[in-house]
Amino acid sequence: MIPFDFEYYRPDTAEEAVSVFAELEAEGKEPVYYGGGSELISMARVGSRSFGAVIDLKNISECKAMEDRGNGFYLGAGLTLSDLVEWNGFPLLSKTAGRIADHTMQCKITLGGNLAATIIYRETALPLLLSDAKLTFAGADGFKEYDMDTVFRERLLLPRGEFLAGVMLDKGFFSLPYFHEKKTKNEKIDYPLITAEGLKKAGVLRIAFSGLAAYPFRDDKVEKTLNASYLSPERKADKVVKHLSSVIQSDLSGSAEYRKFVLKETILNILDTMKGV
Amino acid sequence: MTTYLAGNAVLRAAEDITRQLKSLAAVALRCPPENLEVADEMVYVKSDPTQYLKFKDLVHGYKYQNGNAVEGQILGRGSFIMSGLTPMDQETGIGKAGPYWTVGAQAVEVEFDKQEYTYRLIRAATVMDAGRELNPAMADAVVKGGICMGLGLGSRECFHYDQNGRVVDTSLRTYKVMHFGETPEYLVGFVETPQLDSPYAARGIAEHGIIGMSAALGNALSLAAGVELDELPLVPETIWRIKTQASAEKKE
């Protein structure tokens, strides 16, 4: 159970949400925005997070929307992972969402919650990094759109008082050839040892990782190496492992040494699957 | 043990009740106790079953027609102690530490990926000799449950400890147990060598399915990986580490 009292607010609009946050902040009530609440509840129960008020974003229309807007496809940050799985408009995103936790949790975890999470995996960031997505933040000055790679560096860089309203996807990426490999310690449903996913755009491979380092990322040098036609697959894999050595982590899922082994095998599989595509 | 110990005690208590029933009924029916049979909640004269008394008219004592009552509530008493046990000699290990041995054999079939060191459980078999199987469906089920637990211990269960022996897992979520869908096809069979001093020749069966499973899994994976695996749990990283070290040592 959560061992402290807190207030609950459910605003109907983004303006209401931002303004009630500011009020509560000024009153010293330590407000937090939330989506599904799974991480918030877990952390509050073990005493690693406390708050005086929660602001439930799920009723705001910009957070619930799922629609083609002509210049892109918009996904509200309040959509659950299972909503994304069922939609399947961008198969790589749906595949990613469908391999996070289990089905029960996927019905609760939201896109925004997963991106803004404290826990290090944030796997939904991967397809967004790979497809040049744009993120819409809601703040005191209304809605603003940003390129994914400027506001997501290891984690979502949200200014205090603002929240993620939604994601705009470039439909041109939806039908590109893609790959998704999730390796775990042993179970199908578990935190990633390594999630390596990516796509091929105009013959150029893009790749992003979660679980490998203590944050999700794409890396230019890794992509250049994988796309260098003069290198053998074995050589490519070795170079990538060497380049990432300093950030590869050890944790309860596996040691850094083992991750290096798994990374090499995974890259060889990917290069084999995606060659000639 | 419950079958053997408590079962024998219960049988003796039941015999005690039978004796008391016959003894009281003998008085009421005016015949020697050895002429009586106990069946169907009745005590009756073997040579003339029309002479009988129901349990309900005996178990709280017997009341004559004129109202006199004799004896009282029948309480059966039985106990059992294992015989022939001796401590084990410190030097030689010779001694009888328990009343019997229950033997069995277990095997596991796995599909091993030599490239990635991952594996899948295909089939797991257990044959037990626990005397007579009194309830075959239950015996089958309890052995299957044991197989599942044993494979869980062998393949995924563990806590992680630091240098000072403290548990570093922060939640039970990292303690993995077998899940539905990860289990093998179960093959269970029984051989029956009767236990002559046990109720109905049964030796009782409970956790037996667990005992050899980790070893069987270890042996299967050792054969598959071509290296001796002697650490649990047998997760891919462990197999990779032992195999890699062994290959490195070979080269030196």
Side-chain angles (χ1 to χ4, degrees):
Chain A
M1 63 152 270
I2 298 177
F4 52 84
D5 290 337
F6 55 93
E7 294 172 6
Y8 170 88
Y9 293 83
R10 199 176 77 156
D12 294 317
T13 66
E15 293 85 23
E16 242 179 67
V18 171
S19 91
V20 81
F21 188 103
E23 268 173 47
L24 293 165
E25 179 90 313
E27 288 166 24
K29 285 201 173 145
E30 297 176 336
V32 293
Y33 292 119
Y34 84 99
S38 57
E39 184 180 87
L40 201 63
I41 292 170
S42 300
M43 291 180 77
R45 285 172 67 183
V46 297
S48 48
R49 192 82 209 265
S50 72
F51 33 83
V54 298
I55 301 172
D56 183 348
L57 298 173
K58 294 190 291 294
N59 209 39
I60 296 168
S61 56
E62 286 82 2
C63 294
K64 292 195 282 194
M66 180 191 267
E67 61 198 14
D68 190 327
R69 288 189 176 173
N71 59 332
F73 199 98
Y74 181 84
L75 294 173
L79 295 170
T80 65
L81 298 185
S82 54
D83 289 335
L84 300 179
V85 171
E86 282 169 27
W87 166 59
N88 206 25
F90 182 15
L92 180 57
L93 175 59
S94 300
K95 183 84 196 278
T96 304
R99 287 301 308 277
I100 293 172
D102 57 29
H103 179 68
T104 305
M105 288 315 299
Q106 287 163 20
C107 294
K108 259 272 170 256
I109 298 172
T110 61
L111 174 59
N114 186 253
L115 282 169
T118 306
I119 194 170
I120 65 170
Y121 306 104
R122 304 170 202 119
E123 287 175 80
T124 48
L126 304 181
L128 303 186
L129 287 166
L130 291 163
S131 63
D132 305 339
K134 296 193 195 297
L135 304 189
T136 303
F137 288 4
D141 298 330
F143 297 106
K144 289 211 177 95
E145 207 180 51
Y146 301 94
D147 288 334
M148 175 74 179
D149 60 6
T150 58
V151 292
F152 193 100
R153 302 261 167 82
E154 300 186 9
R155 36 187 330 177
L156 190 62
L157 304 170
L158 265 175
R160 189 155 176 80
E162 296 189 16
F163 64 90
L164 176 66
V167 172
M168 192 66 133
L169 299 172
D170 178 342
K171 293 180 288 179
F173 284 85
F174 287 6
S175 52
L176 294 178
Y178 67 91
F179 58 90
H180 178 284
E181 293 221 18
K182 181 161 184 169
K183 300 285 163 74
T184 63
K185 181 174 183 175
N186 205 5
E187 313 277 303
K188 178 172 178 185
I189 295 184
D190 205 351
Y191 292 126
L193 187 68
I194 302 175
T195 295
E197 60 179 82
L199 37 81
K200 222 171 186 186
K201 187 173 203 285
V204 178
L205 197 80
R206 299 183 176 196
I207 190 169
F209 302 95
S210 173
L212 182 64
Y215 45 82
F217 69 95
R218 254 179 90 177
D219 184 285
D220 275 340
K221 198 162 170 204
V222 168
E223 289 184 6
K224 275 205 179 69
T225 305
L226 294 179
N227 286 302
S229 50
Y230 57 90
L231 293 172
S232 70
E234 180 91 18
R235 191 80 192 90
K236 286 181 186 182
D238 285 335
K239 275 192 85 173
V240 168
V241 171
K242 186 150 187 261
H243 171 61
L244 295 175
S245 277
S246 58
V247 299
I248 293 175
Q249 59 160 353
S250 279
D251 65 3
L252 294 183
S253 288
S255 64
E257 282 311 303
Y258 182 61
R259 276 191 161 87
K260 288 177 193 168
F261 164 75
V262 175
L263 178 61
K264 180 172 177 178
E265 289 302 310
T266 305
I267 287 173
L268 290 172
N269 284 346
I270 289 166
L271 290 172
D272 190 50
T273 312
M274 299 300 285
K275 73 174 180 237
V277 163
Chain B
M1 271 307 142
T2 312
T3 305
Y4 182 72
L5 286 172
N8 273 321
V10 166
L11 281 180
R12 287 176 180 180
E15 278 155 21
D16 187 26
I17 288 178
T18 305
R19 266 193 301 277
Q20 292 178 60
L21 283 169
K22 284 186 182 176
S23 158
L24 181 57
V27 169
L29 294 172
R30 299 174 194 161
C31 70
E34 55 269 27
N35 284 10
L36 293 170
E37 190 63 77
V38 174
D40 299 324
E41 295 183 21
M42 289 187 294
V43 186
Y44 61 92
V45 178
K46 282 190 249 199
S47 50
D48 181 11
T50 64
Q51 299 295 307
Y52 72 90
L53 284 167
K54 291 189 177 163
F55 276 14
K56 67 180 177 67
D57 298 322
L58 290 165
V59 295
H60 289 117
Y62 177 72
K63 194 156 90 170
Y64 288 93
Q65 290 265 2
N66 71 349
N68 295 162
V70 290
E71 295 294 324
Q73 181 161 38
I74 293 181
L75 296 168
R77 210 176 69 171
S79 66
F80 183 79
I81 199 164
M82 294 194 231
S83 59
L85 301 188
T86 59
M88 287 166 74
D89 184 279
Q90 283 225 330
E91 306 280 306
T92 64
I94 294 174
K96 190 172 182 199
Y100 54 71
W101 289 102
T102 280
V103 297
Q106 300 188 283
V108 179
E109 186 183 337
V110 298
E111 186 183 86
F112 181 71
D113 184 323
K114 288 187 165 180
Q115 202 75 9
E116 310 218 349
Y117 299 90
T118 53
Y119 63 93
R120 215 162 56 91
L121 302 169
I122 311 294
R123 295 188 298 172
T126 298
V127 178
M128 296 300 310
D129 183 348
R132 186 162 305 131
E133 296 318 309
L134 298 178
N135 185 330
M138 281 273 280
D140 186 76
V142 80
V143 170
K144 280 176 179 166
I147 293 174
C148 180
M149 277 186 73
L151 288 172
L153 284 171
S155 68
R156 63 221 332 113
E157 290 187 35
C158 72
F159 282 114
H160 303 86
Y161 300 92
D162 68 11
Q163 307 280 48
N164 298 306
R166 291 175 298 200
V167 174
V168 295
D169 299 86
T170 53
S171 83
L172 288 173
R173 199 188 290 135
T174 58
Y175 189 91
K176 301 296 182 186
V177 295
M178 287 289 276
H179 288 93
F180 201 68
E182 290 165 348
T183 49
E185 182 194 335
Y186 297 110
L187 303 166
V188 176
F190 298 95
V191 169
E192 293 186 342
T193 304
Q195 183 68 30
L196 299 175
D197 63 344
S198 188
Y200 309 107
R203 272 191 286 286
I205 191 154
E207 302 93 340
H208 302 68
I210 299 176
I211 298 169
M213 267 300 144
S214 299
L217 180 63
N219 286 340
L221 288 170
S222 295
L223 282 170
V227 70
E228 186 175 335
L229 300 168
D230 57 3
E231 269 181 54
L232 296 181
L234 288 159
V235 295
E237 177 168 355
T238 303
I239 304 172
W240 164 80
R241 176 174 39 84
I242 294 174
K243 178 71 177 178
T244 315
Q245 270 169 15
S247 301
E249 279 159 21
K250 251 199 197 152
K251 285 180 185 158
E252 281 164 19

